[in-house]
Amino acid sequence: MERLIIDMDGVLADVYSQFRKYEKAELGIEQETAAAIGKAEREAFKNAGTYVNTPGFFLEAPVMPGSVEVMRRLNRKYEVYIVSAAMEFPLSLYEKYQWLQQNFSFLGWEQMVLCGSKKVIHGDIMLDDHFKNLDHFNGRTLLYAQPHNMTKDPGKHVRVADWQEVEQVLL
Ligand SMILES: [Mg+2]
């Protein structure tokens, strides 16, 4: 069985929806999705650093459309690990564990890898929205489309637009 490494934020969890929701609540601004294209999250949402350290931000993040059913099937075909650099936001550790239990209850705790740098991660396929994670990986790499990476050339990585495309490429 091939080992498949899957990211959380911007792949399973729709963090942009959370950024928009928090920004609207705090500043009364409602950004179009297009406004965030080509910008890092912290450029697109000026208080993003505060939001990701607010209790509930990760726990209440919406699930990316279509991901639950595709993940259920991937979990039968591959050795699946959810890998999140959760140490970047230490508050998120327990919330991410709870979120996975709530939304992807078919995954066991052994499959949840909340870590620091992903450079130590090995596997056959990695699905992530950040080049900094994919560039170090010694296997097939899929770049999940998010506003911050939309204007960048995927290079050696295969760009997938949504979970329907993940399904087409991996199932
Ligand atoms: Mg991510």
Side-chain angles (χ1 to χ4, degrees), residues 42-169:
R42 282 165 196 249
E43 274 176 73
F45 304 94
K46 66 174 188 161
N47 293 337
T50 307
Y51 304 155
V52 294
N53 286 301
T54 303
F57 182 88
F58 291 98
L59 186 60
E60 290 151 21
V63 174
M64 214 60 100
S67 62
V68 176
E69 275 322 302
V70 176
M71 279 293 294
R72 214 186 284 277
R73 291 170 56 205
L74 289 172
N75 197 37
R76 291 195 284 262
K77 183 174 174 183
Y78 296 92
E79 183 191 355
V80 168
Y81 288 97
I82 308 302
V83 179
S84 175
M87 279 309 296
E88 190 176 1
F89 317 115
L91 255 190
S92 76
L93 281 161
Y94 193 58
E95 291 198 5
K96 286 187 173 212
Y97 170 65
Q98 289 178 297
W99 188 89
L100 285 170
Q101 278 195 314
Q102 278 171 21
N103 297 299
F104 296 88
S105 56
F106 49 89
L107 298 174
W109 65 267
E110 304 94 329
Q111 294 173 278
M112 303 172 187
V113 181
L114 304 180
C115 63
S117 172
K118 296 189 190 180
K119 285 182 195 170
V120 298
I121 300 299
H122 293 277
D124 299 293
I125 308 165
M126 178 182 262
L127 170 61
D128 205 290
D129 64 316
H130 275 287
F131 287 92
K132 68 179 176 193
N133 299 321
L134 297 171
D135 288 346
H136 291 284
F137 190 74
N138 288 319
R140 278 171 76 192
T141 42
L142 307 183
L143 178 72
Y144 194 90
Q146 284 288 272
H148 66 80
N149 67 36
M150 224 84 108
T151 55
K152 296 186 178 129
D153 177 356
K156 62 177 179 175
H157 315 304
V158 173
R159 185 187 286 281
V160 284
D162 50 30
W163 275 88
Q164 280 180 325
E165 280 197 22
V166 175
E167 179 181 18
Q168 285 162 16
V169 174

Side-chain angles (χ1 to χ4, degrees), residues 9-26:
D9 300 334
V11 174
L12 290 177
D14 183 0
V15 288
Y16 275 85
S17 287
Q18 286 295 80
F19 284 134
R20 278 196 294 275
K21 185 176 128 186
Y22 275 61
E23 193 168 71
K24 191 184 173 196
E26 189 201 11

